[in-house]
Amino acid sequence: MTTTAQPSVDGSSLGARSAAHLWGHFARHGEGITPPVITRGEGVRIFDDRGRSYLDGLAGLFVVQAGHGRVELAEAAARQAKELAFFPVWSYATPPAIELAERLAAYAPGDLNRVFFTTGGGEAVESAWKLAKQYFKLTGKPMKHKVISRAVAYHGTPQGALAITGVPALKQMFEPLTPGGFRAPNTNIYRAPDEDLAADPKKFGRWAADRIAEAIEFEGPETVAAVFLEPVQNAGGCFPPPPGYFERVREICDQYDVLLVSDEVICAFGRIGSMFACEDFGYQPDIITCAKGMTSGYSPIGAMIASDRLFEPFNDGSTTFPHGYTFGGHPVSAAVALANLDLFEREGINDHVKTNAPAFRATLEKLHDLPIVGDVRGEGYFYGIELVKDKTTKESFSDAEAERILRGFLSTALFDAGLYCRADDRGDPVVQLAPPLIAGQSEFDEIEQILRSVLTEAYTLL
């Protein structure tokens, strides 16, 4: 996925200065490209250096759950920095890290009571794979090291997390990767392999889950350590789980003694509704990875939350998990996370999402009447709109058309129309939406109206 930036106003602008020194992530550079410069946020809106306002339809990057401009979160950071700005959790502890670990364990389902802090989601995924490998070595199954994930799924950019990622274009430049990552089909029922499966979500869910069992059998159960799945798969455009899917996956993992990792870097902290989305879909993982929404983006932090069973081999007074991050469990970030979770509870943000999610779905589904809209899918406040060339045949864009329509037109046109979201082609072309969790019907209507206008124009360019 690449983002085409907007032109700067003049040579002395912040955009031009950025183009001279700032190396943007997943961004194109050169040829006169300069990035938009976002200077301020307030509620559900962001503002650029020209004073223009935009609806933040992606919560920054699935992050700003509580909205922009929350002074109490900034104040929590300042208070903690005055008391203790930094100390590592390498054989030491700090009060904010202790309290946050307790809080996360209380929210997590079942016996997921052990919290290992990181500074982001990719690191949490990396940590989970390393834990799975060492756990099986410590428990007499040293061959178990492989992981199964899904086609087109994104799990991060560190070398291990990248091996779990199922997007070939993101991996080619960095091969050879950490060995051991293998793929099973995802849950995109819109692209189900036959009409029979497409017509029966429960049957499709069983089919997709059984492909995981097939992959474990093919690789050898004695070699497979974990299955990594997002509750709602991000890359490819927000694939929800079909009915019965996770129930069957849990059965498969238990049958083959394989750990089930719920990668909730995006889906946790209210994005689907509950604090952890595995509870929205009724399954019990062995590990949860999380990050983005934990602080609503006000300070970086991530976590791997593991079950008591996985911690047991390390609880003998001598065995260590030889892995860590300098800034993992940073006291300032932990303090901000605690303030953010307080805010969630005080304002009932999870209930707000659960109450308003049907209206968000219904508003986006109005776009089905556009000839370029093939599918509208997602859960909670996390949606993808798949774009097609032909609605009847579900024909997608060619590579050249995707370049012209998504990057050459949509990315700029949506932003210019006042909506920040993501036009993405990791898999089939989609527009992704994940507004701050405080958004309501007026924001849903604004999103739909902007999309309707811009997508209508986009179709004329095919």
Side-chain angles (χ1 to χ4, degrees):
M1 187 273 296
T2 56
T3 302
T4 302
Q6 318 298 311
S8 60
V9 177
D10 58 62
S12 62
S13 71
L14 286 168
R17 289 161 59 191
S18 171
H21 298 287
L22 182 64
W23 197 330
H25 297 200
F26 289 95
R28 296 182 178 188
H29 297 82
E31 300 296 325
I33 295 172
T34 55
V37 178
I38 306 304
T39 60
R40 185 169 66 88
E42 182 178 339
V44 298
R45 311 200 75 84
I46 53 174
F47 301 82
D48 67 14
D49 58 338
R50 298 171 291 178
R52 288 197 59 192
S53 168
Y54 308 85
L55 175 60
D56 184 356
L58 205 63
L61 194 61
F62 318 106
V63 171
V64 191
Q65 316 293 63
H68 298 275
R70 292 284 195 163
V71 174
E72 60 265 52
L73 299 185
E75 290 176 343
R79 283 195 303 271
Q80 180 57 45
K82 291 178 182 177
E83 184 72 22
L84 178 67
F86 174 75
F87 206 78
V89 293
W90 296 44
S91 300
Y92 293 84
T94 64
I98 295 167
E99 187 178 348
L100 182 57
E102 289 176 336
R103 193 83 166 267
L104 294 176
Y107 289 136
D111 69 339
L112 272 70
N113 292 315
R114 295 294 179 166
V115 180
F116 183 94
F117 286 116
T118 68
T119 59
E123 292 174 351
V125 169
E126 193 91 357
S127 300
W129 191 4
K130 291 178 77 171
L131 172 60
K133 289 180 179 181
Q134 186 175 358
Y135 170 78
F136 282 117
K137 286 180 172 62
L138 293 174
T139 55
K141 297 181 179 181
M143 292 289 290
K144 291 176 84 70
H145 69 283
K146 298 174 184 175
V147 296
I148 309 296
S149 59
R150 295 184 291 202
V152 197
Y154 177 84
H155 292 281
T157 55
Q159 286 289 91
L162 196 57
I164 301 172
T165 290
V167 186
L170 297 183
K171 301 191 286 187
Q172 291 170 352
M173 293 298 106
F174 310 108
E175 293 174 332
L177 302 176
T178 304
F182 298 90
R183 237 62 59 204
N186 58 45
T187 59
N188 183 3
I189 194 170
Y190 183 69
R191 298 287 178 183
D194 62 56
E195 293 182 3
D196 185 41
L197 290 174
D200 187 338
K202 192 166 185 178
K203 186 175 181 180
F204 174 70
R206 175 74 183 218
W207 172 87
D210 283 346
R211 301 290 75 74
I212 293 174
E214 190 176 78
I216 293 171
E217 284 281 3
F218 183 81
E219 291 302 321
E222 73 282 359
T223 72
V224 179
V227 172
F228 281 71
L229 304 174
E230 296 169 280
V232 177
Q233 182 174 320
N234 167 34
C238 302
F239 305 141
Y245 174 78
F246 273 111
E247 180 182 2
R248 175 61 182 145
V249 171
R250 181 70 266 180
E251 291 175 355
I252 291 166
C253 289
D254 290 342
Q255 178 183 351
Y256 295 112
D257 192 19
V258 170
L259 305 181
L260 175 55
V261 181
S262 188
D263 183 359
E264 305 203 16
V265 170
I266 288 176
C267 292
F269 307 111
R271 180 56 54 191
I272 307 303
S274 298
M275 279 298 186
F276 293 110
C278 55
E279 295 198 296
D280 291 306
F281 299 116
Y283 67 95
Q284 175 66 51
D286 299 292
I287 300 173
I288 291 174
T289 57
C290 57
K292 294 178 182 289
M294 196 187 307
T295 65
S296 286
Y298 284 70
S299 191
I301 197 168
M304 171 187 70
I305 309 173
S307 69
D308 289 333
R309 174 173 71 97
L310 299 184
F311 184 75
E312 182 61 27
F314 300 90
N315 200 26
D316 62 359
S318 60
T319 302
T320 64
F321 181 36
H323 173 65
Y325 300 98
T326 298
F327 296 112
H330 194 288
V332 172
S333 293
V336 174
L338 288 165
N340 182 57
L341 296 173
D342 286 343
L343 188 156
F344 263 70
E345 294 182 0
R346 185 170 65 250
E347 298 188 3
I349 286 179
N350 298 87
D351 288 339
H352 177 82
V353 172
K354 292 175 182 179
T355 299
N356 288 278
F360 189 34
R361 178 189 294 273
T363 304
L364 294 178
E365 285 181 341
K366 294 178 183 179
L367 297 168
H368 270 303
D369 66 348
L370 298 180
I372 198 172
V373 173
D375 194 26
V376 176
R377 54 181 178 255
E379 293 287 343
Y381 273 33
F382 186 31
Y383 272 83
I385 299 170
E386 183 169 337
L387 308 180
V388 293
K389 187 175 181 178
D390 188 302
K391 204 179 185 83
T392 303
T393 65
K394 301 183 182 179
E395 180 186 357
S396 191
F397 302 159
S398 67
D399 290 344
E401 287 167 337
E403 175 70 24
R404 179 161 50 86
I405 299 299
L406 264 71
R407 287 178 288 276
F409 174 72
L410 277 178
S411 292
T412 300
L414 288 167
F415 192 73
D416 286 347
L419 176 63
Y420 165 67
C421 58
R422 179 157 76 174
D424 193 3
D425 65 344
R426 296 172 298 175
D428 296 302
V430 296
V431 173
Q432 284 190 295
L433 299 157
L437 304 187
I438 58 173
Q441 189 60 55
S442 62
E443 287 78 29
F444 304 158
D445 289 339
E446 184 177 355
I447 288 170
E448 190 272 340
Q449 290 160 12
I450 292 173
L451 285 170
R452 177 172 295 278
S453 174
V454 174
L455 292 177
T456 298
E457 185 176 356
Y459 188 69
T460 68
L461 303 177
L462 286 170

